[in-house]
Amino acid sequence: MKLLYLTIVLAPLIGSIFAGFLGNVLGRKATHSITILGVLISTVLSLYAFNYHVLEGNSAFNQNIYTWLAFGDLSISVGFLVDNLTAVMLVVVSFVSLMVHIYTIGYMHDDDGYTKFFSYISLFTFAMFMLVMSNNFMQLFFGWEAVGLVSYLLIGFWHHKESAVEANLKAFLVNRVGDLGFLLGIALVLMYFNTLDYVQVFNNVNNIAGITIVDDWSLITTICILLFIGAMGKSAQVPLHVWLPGSMEGPTPISALIHAATMVTAGIFMVSRMSPLFELSETALTFVMIIGAITALFMGLLGIVQNDIKRVVAYSTLSQLGYMTVALGVSAYSVAIFHLMTHAFFKALLFLAAGSVIVAMHHEQDIRKMGGLKSKMPITYWTSLIGSLALIGFPGFAGFYSKDMIIEAVHYSQLPYADWVYFAVIAGVFITAFYSFRMFFMVFHGESRVDKHTESHLHESPWTITIPLIALAIPSAFIGFYTIEPMLFTGWLESAISIGPSHTSMEILKSHFISALELISHSIVTWPFWMMILGVITAWIFSLYRTEWADWIKNKFKGINYILESLYGFDRFNEIFFVNGFKRLGEFFWKVTDAGLIDKTLVNGSAKLAGFFGSLIRPIQTGFVYHYAFFMILSLLFILTWVLYSGENPLLGLPF
Amino acid sequence: MTSAQILFYTFSFFLVASSLIMIFAKNAAKAVLFLVLVFFSVAGLWILLEAEFLAITLILVYVGAVMVLFLFVIKMLNIDKSTLRAKFAGYLPLGLIVAAIIVAEMTMVLGHEQFGLNIYPAPEKASADYSNITILALQLYTDYVYPFELAAVLLLIAIIAAIALVHRPEQNRKKQDISEQVSVRAKDRLRIVSIAKNNKEVNND
Amino acid sequence: MISLSDYLILSSIIFCIGLVGIFINRKNIITLLMCVELILAAVNTNFIAFSHFLGNEAGQIFVFFILTVAAAEVAIGLAILTLMFRNRGSIDIDITSSLKG
C-alpha cells in the first residue's frame, strides 16, 4: 500500500517535471499526454484507495516514509496518514484535477505557455496530495505553502497583464497573513506537545485541556483560533477574502481547480482533521461559526451586483466556503466535508462552463454583453443548468443535500449566536438562488446582447471542453443522493473525526434522518426550499421579465448599491492602511535610519570624527627641523627629571 | 692655585665664550672661525688630560680638514652674503631656560658628591717618556682592529656618497640609448598619408 | 686640583650650548652642522676625561672612532647642503617644511 500512496503523490510530480523542463522539446501533444497520464494514474489509484479504506473498511495507514530532519528529540518526517477522510479528499482532488487537465487542452489551445501551464497544474496536484495525505503538521505546512506558491504562479500566468500581477501578489500576501497565524498555531502545538505528529498530538490532547497562557487565555482556544486564521487565509473567509476575486485574473481552468475545488478547501479539510483539538474549545468553534456566517451572507450579497461572469462564480465560492465553515463551527465536520465534496463538483462545473462561454465569446467576460446563448451552446447550457440547480439546492441534486444538512445542523446547535447564524444561512439560500439564476438567465436566456462580430463566430466548444463538463455534471446531479447516508450517518468519516459529547448537532441530525428520498419530499415544508424558489422567481423577474425594474431599484437604493459595488471597502481599507502604512514605514526606515542614521551618522560620522581628531593633532607636524629638535630636547629634559626624581628609589631626592 | 688649574680655567673660559659667540654669530664665516677656536681650546683641555695624540689629531684632522671644508662650502655658495638677519628673539628665552634646567640637573648628577676627587682621585702624572700613541696603537691594532677596518670602509662610503650626491653629469650631452634604438617601430619614424583621387578634376584637365 | 666632575660639568655646559644653538638657529643650515660638531666635541671631552681618571684607554679609542664618523658625517652633510642650495637657491631652513602636516 505504501507504494500505492507514493505513486499517487509522485505521478503528478513526475508529469510536472517533464512538462516543465522538457515541454518545449517534447511538443504540446506529448506534454499534455504525459501530464494527463500522471493525473489519470493518481485518479485510478485514489479510487482504489477509496475502495480499500472506505468501502471495504480497512484500517487507516499511518507511516513515516522518510525522515526529513531530526534535531534534538524532535524529528520531522515525510509521512502518510491515509484514512477515510484522506481517501475522500484524494478522490475529489484527483478527479477534479483530471477534468481540469483535459479541459486545458481546449482552453489553452492558443496560448504560448501551454506546456508551462500543464506543468503548473500537475505541480499543484502534487502539492495538494502532500497536504491531504500528511501525517504531521510540518508536511501539512509544506503542502499549504506549496499550493499557495503554485496558486501565485498560476494567477499571474499571463504575467504581462498588469492586473494579473497585482492580483497574484495580493493573493500571496494575504495568504501569508493567514500563514502567520497558522505557523504560530503550529509553534504552540510543538511547544506544548513536543511533537508534530498528528496521532501523538491527538492522543495527548487531554493533557493540555486546562492550561492557560498569558493571563488566562485558554491554550487550546488560542491554538485553535491561530490554526483557523491560517484556514481563513487559505479558504478566504472575511477579512482575508480579498484575494479570491482578484484570483479570477488567472485562466479559467485554474479558477476551477484551485479556487473552487481544492486549494480553498484546504482550510476546511485542515479544521476537520484537527477536530479533536477544536472540540475542546467552544470559543474557537463559535468564532469559526460566526466568521463563516458573515462570509456566507455578505459575500453572497456581493455576488448580486457583479457583472463579470467569473466574479459571480467567485463570490459564490466565497459564500459556499462560508457555509462549510459554519458547518465546522457547529461541530458537523462530516457535513462540512460532504458539502466540500459536492461543492467541488458543481463549482468546478460552473467555472468550466463559464470558461466555455468565455472561449466561445472570444474572451469576453461581461454578462451584460451576453444573452440568448442557449441555442448556440446546448451542452454548455444543460450542464450549467445542472450545476446551478445543484448550487442553489434544488431538491434531488447534490447541493440540496449538503446545504440542507448544514442548515439543519445549525438549527440544532447550542452555541451562542446560533440563531442569528441560522437566519444568515437561510437568507443565504435566497441570495444564492438569486445571483446564480440572475447570471444564468442573463447569459443563456433572453435577447442576445452579443455584438455582431462575435455572434457570427459563436459555436459550441470542442469536445476537450465539453467532455469534462459532462463528466462533472453527473456527480453534481447524483452524488448527493448516494453518499449522504453513508458519509454523514453510517460512519464513513467516523474514525477520522471526533466530536465532543456536548456538541450534539450530529446526533440530532442522525436521529431525524430517515432516507435521502424522504429528504426530498420533506423539503417542501422547509424554509430553504421556499427561499430558493423565491430567489429563482426574483431573478427571473429582474433579468428577463422586467429588467427596467432592476435599474429602478438600483437608482432608488444608490447608497446600498455603492457599498456593494465597492466590496464593503475592504480593498480600499487594505490599500490605505496596510499598503500605504508599510510604504511609509519602509520610506521611514530607508531615509531616516538607513540613509540618515547608519550612512550619515555612523559611517560618515565616524570618518569625520577621525578626521576631526586628526586635524587637531596634525599641526604639531610643522615641518621645521628645529621644532622637531626642540621637542626632542624637551623630551630629554622630561625623562631626565623623571629618572632623577620619581619612582621608589629616585637617584636624587628632592631637597625638600 | 696650581698651574693645571689656571690652564684649565683659561681653556674652559675660551671654550665657553667662543661657543656662545659661535651660535649667536650672524656671519657664517665668523661662526666657523670661532668654532676653530673652540676646537683649539678643546685640544688644550685634552692635552691636560694626557691624551696628546687625540689632541693633535683634533687639530690636524678636524680643524685642518673639516673646518676648511666648511669654509670652502661657505665661500662657494656665497652664504655669508646671503644670510638674512636671524630672528632669535622669539625662541631664545625658551631655549635658554630649557638648557639651563638641563645643565642644572646634570650638575646635580655629575656633581662633586658623585664624581669628586674623593671618589675618583686624580691619577699620577705620567713619566716623561710616556708615549700616548704607543699605548693607543697597542690597543687599536689588537683588540679593536675590526672596528678600525670598518671605520675605513665607512670613510670610503662617505666619499662615494658625497660624490654621488653632488655630481652632475653635463647637461646638454648627446648620448645613445641602445635599448631605445632597438625597440623602435616603423610607425614611430614613418607616416604614410593617402591622398584621395578625385576623378572629375583629373578628367577636366 | 681638577676633579672629574669639573670636566663633566664643563662638557655638559658645552653640550647644552650646542642644543640651544640648534634650536635658536633658523636661517642657516651651516650653523646647524656646526652645533652638531660642538655637541660631538663635548662628548669627546667626556670620554677623554673618564679615560684619564679611570685609567682605561678604551675611552680614547672610542673618541678616535667618533672623530672618524663625525668627519664622514660632515662630508655628506655638506654635500646635501650643496644640493639643497642648488635646487632651492637658499639654505634657509624654513623653506624645507614640505613635510608639514
Side-chain angles (χ1 to χ4, degrees), chain A residues 452-468:
Chain A
K452 289 291 161 236
H453 175 78
T454 324
E455 192 163 10
S456 54
H457 292 281
L458 211 52
H459 60 84
E460 184 60 86
S461 306
W463 66 268
T464 49
I465 291 186
T466 50
I467 295 286

Side-chain angles (χ1 to χ4, degrees), chain B residues 38-197:
Chain B
V38 163
F39 281 127
F40 270 105
S41 319
V42 169
L45 279 175
W46 288 5
I47 292 187
L48 269 180
L49 286 171
E50 294 181 0
E52 299 95 10
F53 172 64
L54 284 170
I56 301 299
T57 309
L58 195 70
I59 305 293
L60 284 177
V61 170
Y62 233 64
V63 175
V66 176
M67 292 297 120
V68 172
L69 184 60
F70 263 106
L71 271 174
F72 272 162
V73 172
I74 287 174
K75 289 304 169 190
M76 185 174 73
L77 303 179
N78 285 325
I79 289 173
D80 49 346
K81 291 197 181 56
S82 64
T83 305
L84 301 169
R85 244 197 305 275
K87 296 187 283 275
F88 289 141
Y91 290 87
L92 181 61
L94 187 60
L96 282 179
I97 290 170
V98 170
I101 295 177
I102 293 181
V103 169
E105 287 192 357
M106 286 175 80
T107 313
M108 283 197 266
V109 177
L110 303 170
H112 281 271
E113 301 86 44
Q114 282 90 2
F115 291 97
L117 275 175
N118 37 352
I119 304 177
Y120 292 105
E124 293 179 3
K125 289 223 186 307
S127 58
D129 56 354
Y130 170 72
S131 174
N132 189 251
I133 297 181
T134 317
I135 307 286
L136 274 183
L138 278 173
Q139 290 263 307
L140 194 61
Y141 288 106
T142 53
D143 292 337
Y144 297 102
V145 68
Y146 192 48
F148 183 74
E149 299 298 332
L150 280 180
V153 173
L154 186 72
L155 285 173
L156 176 66
I157 293 172
I159 292 172
I160 297 173
I163 293 173
L165 276 175
V166 183
H167 176 61
R168 249 195 306 210
E170 293 171 33
Q171 303 284 35
N172 298 320
R173 204 168 48 160
K174 291 192 198 292
K175 59 182 168 111
Q176 288 179 326
D177 186 352
I178 308 292
S179 54
E180 195 184 302
Q181 285 173 334
V182 166
S183 66
V184 118
R185 283 188 296 264
K187 66 180 174 66
D188 294 334
R189 299 276 184 257
L190 184 64
R191 189 182 67 161
I192 300 180
V193 176
S194 71
I195 300 177
K197 266 202 324 191

Side-chain angles (χ1 to χ4, degrees), chain B residues 5 24 31-32 45-46 49 54 62 66 77 79 91 99 103 110 112 115 123 132 135 147 154 165-166 168, chain C residues 1-3 5-7 10 16 20 23-24 34 37 44 48 52 57 60 65 69-70 74 79 83 85-86 91:
Chain B
Q5 277 181 316
F24 288 121
V32 171
L45 279 175
W46 288 5
L49 286 171
L54 284 170
Y62 233 64
V66 176
L77 303 179
I79 289 173
Y91 290 87
V103 169
L110 303 170
H112 281 271
F115 291 97
N132 189 251
I135 307 286
L154 186 72
L165 276 175
V166 183
R168 249 195 306 210
Chain C
M1 293 311 292
I2 322 291
S3 67
S5 70
D6 295 332
Y7 283 105
L10 175 68
C16 288
V20 170
F23 180 58
I24 65 172
M34 289 196 291
E37 296 304 316
N44 287 341
I48 304 279
H52 181 248
E57 288 83 25
Q60 297 187 17
F65 289 118
V69 172
V74 164
L83 271 180
F85 185 77
R86 204 188 276 168
I91 54 167

Side-chain angles (χ1 to χ4, degrees), chain C:
Chain C
M1 293 311 292
I2 322 291
S3 67
L4 177 57
S5 70
D6 295 332
Y7 283 105
L8 295 181
I9 291 172
L10 175 68
S11 68
S12 72
I13 291 173
I14 300 300
F15 183 83
C16 288
I17 290 177
L19 285 181
V20 170
I22 289 179
F23 180 58
I24 65 172
N25 143 68
R26 293 185 123 199
K27 293 300 162 190
N28 215 333
I29 295 190
I30 298 272
T31 316
L32 192 92
L33 286 169
M34 289 196 291
C35 292
V36 172
E37 296 304 316
L38 202 57
I39 288 173
L40 285 169
V43 170
N44 287 341
T45 312
N46 230 341
F47 271 114
I48 304 279
F50 269 112
S51 156
H52 181 248
F53 278 87
L54 266 60
N56 188 355
E57 288 83 25
Q60 297 187 17
I61 307 280
F62 207 70
V63 169
F64 194 79
F65 289 118
I66 290 180
L67 282 181
T68 312
V69 172
E73 169 230 326
V74 164
I76 296 181
L78 285 175
I80 293 177
L81 177 85
T82 312
L83 271 180
M84 204 173 98
F85 185 77
R86 204 188 276 168
N87 286 334
R88 287 166 207 267
S90 96
I91 54 167
D92 199 332
I93 291 189
D94 280 347
I95 58 175
T96 58
S97 65
S98 49
L99 279 182
K100 194 161 136 154

Side-chain angles (χ1 to χ4, degrees), chain A residues 86-154:
Chain A
T86 317
V88 169
M89 290 295 294
L90 280 177
V91 170
V92 170
V93 170
S94 55
F95 184 70
V96 174
S97 178
L98 181 65
M99 291 301 118
V100 167
H101 274 75
I102 298 177
Y103 183 88
T104 310
I105 303 177
Y107 191 83
M108 299 294 280
H109 183 260
D110 304 325
D111 198 291
D112 285 334
Y114 190 80
T115 53
K116 191 164 78 161
F117 196 80
F118 271 102
S119 166
Y120 284 161
I121 50 179
S122 286
L123 186 65
F124 174 83
T125 315
F126 158 73
M128 196 67 199
F129 283 147
M130 285 292 278
L131 194 160
V132 164
M133 284 168 74
S134 91
N135 74 344
N136 59 61
F137 281 90
M138 195 47 84
Q139 191 182 334
L140 176 71
F141 192 66
F142 161 74
W144 199 264
E145 292 294 312
V147 294
L149 170 71
V150 183
S151 165
Y152 161 85
L153 289 171
L154 281 168

